[in-house]
Amino acid sequence: MSLADKVAAIFEGPRVARIHFRLGRLEVSPQRLRGVGKAIKKGDIKVKVASSGKLLSAAYSPHSDTLTVPDDKLASVSAQAGVLHEGIHALVDMYKCKEVTVLNDEAAAYLAEAIYLRAAHSWVSGGAAEMAIYKAADQLAKAHDLYSKRGVRLSADDAADLRAAIHKHPAYSSIGAHQMTSGHGLHAH
């Protein structure tokens, strides 16, 4: 199985079927996530193995439409969840979600990751800043029953604590509160 096929499979599995919410104007649904998987299979979103630095396990670049993954095995649930997280950023890019702040994009990615992890009966470990984000995502998901309900609409205010936890993390502390995503769409290949 090719690396692209392995990564695409993450967006097609049964855990993804449980991820369906709207955060402000950003809709995260199984259909949209499957669309990300299809774009990976077609090569519209490229996949490469490389380090994403000390603070991140995976990364997505909207400028090159490239998803960077930590290894070619992606055997652990946490590695798969990290790829799914970056897939939310690819979704924002692919569906041209220009009216989404970067912090709401991150909040949606952490929410999706939390739902994915809980569906796998798994969780993550990490430093205090990382765990504050996952705790806030888990609390938001529990408060709005995202682990069992589909299509829940969340306001920006609902995610305020999660955005605050994200903004305190060194990887995200330079993001402006009103900084918008590029949401320019995938490039023609």
Side-chain angles (χ1 to χ4, degrees):
M1 180 182 280
S2 74
L3 177 60
D5 288 339
K6 280 183 192 177
V7 172
I10 293 169
F11 297 93
E12 298 165 354
R15 294 173 190 143
V16 169
R18 302 176 104 177
I19 302 169
H20 191 188
F21 61 89
R22 184 180 290 267
L23 176 55
R25 295 186 173 193
L26 173 57
E27 180 182 0
V28 178
S29 68
Q31 296 80 9
R32 284 183 162 208
L33 289 166
R34 282 193 295 274
V36 170
K38 287 177 186 171
I40 291 167
K41 279 186 176 180
K42 283 176 47 183
D44 293 339
I45 296 174
K46 296 174 279 314
V47 180
K48 70 177 184 177
V49 175
S51 170
S52 300
K54 291 186 290 184
L55 299 176
L56 304 172
S57 64
Y60 175 74
S61 170
H63 306 293
S64 63
D65 304 328
T66 302
L67 187 63
T68 302
V69 298
D71 62 60
D72 62 356
K73 294 178 185 47
L74 302 173
S76 72
V77 172
S78 63
Q80 294 165 17
V83 169
L84 175 83
H85 174 117
E86 296 306 323
I88 301 300
H89 305 318
L91 181 154
V92 166
D93 186 29
M94 184 172 146
Y95 289 97
K96 300 180 181 178
C97 302
K98 293 181 180 183
E99 297 178 6
V100 176
T101 66
V102 174
L103 287 172
N104 271 344
D105 181 9
E106 287 297 340
Y110 277 105
L111 270 176
E113 192 176 352
I115 296 166
Y116 187 91
L117 288 162
R118 291 293 189 206
H121 306 288
S122 186
W123 201 238
V124 293
S125 60
E130 291 85 7
M131 295 316 297
I133 295 170
Y134 286 105
K135 181 180 178 188
D138 189 46
Q139 287 174 338
L140 179 57
K142 286 177 180 172
H144 293 275
D145 210 9
L146 298 181
Y147 293 127
S148 60
K149 287 186 180 176
R150 310 292 181 268
V152 174
R153 291 179 180 268
L154 302 169
S155 70
D157 288 345
D158 291 331
D161 290 345
L162 176 53
R163 279 194 315 277
I166 291 167
H167 199 253
K168 286 180 184 174
H169 190 284
Y172 308 111
S173 61
S174 65
I175 297 171
H178 302 289
Q179 185 176 333
M180 304 303 280
T181 62
S182 63
H184 53 64
L186 300 179
H187 301 87
H189 294 281

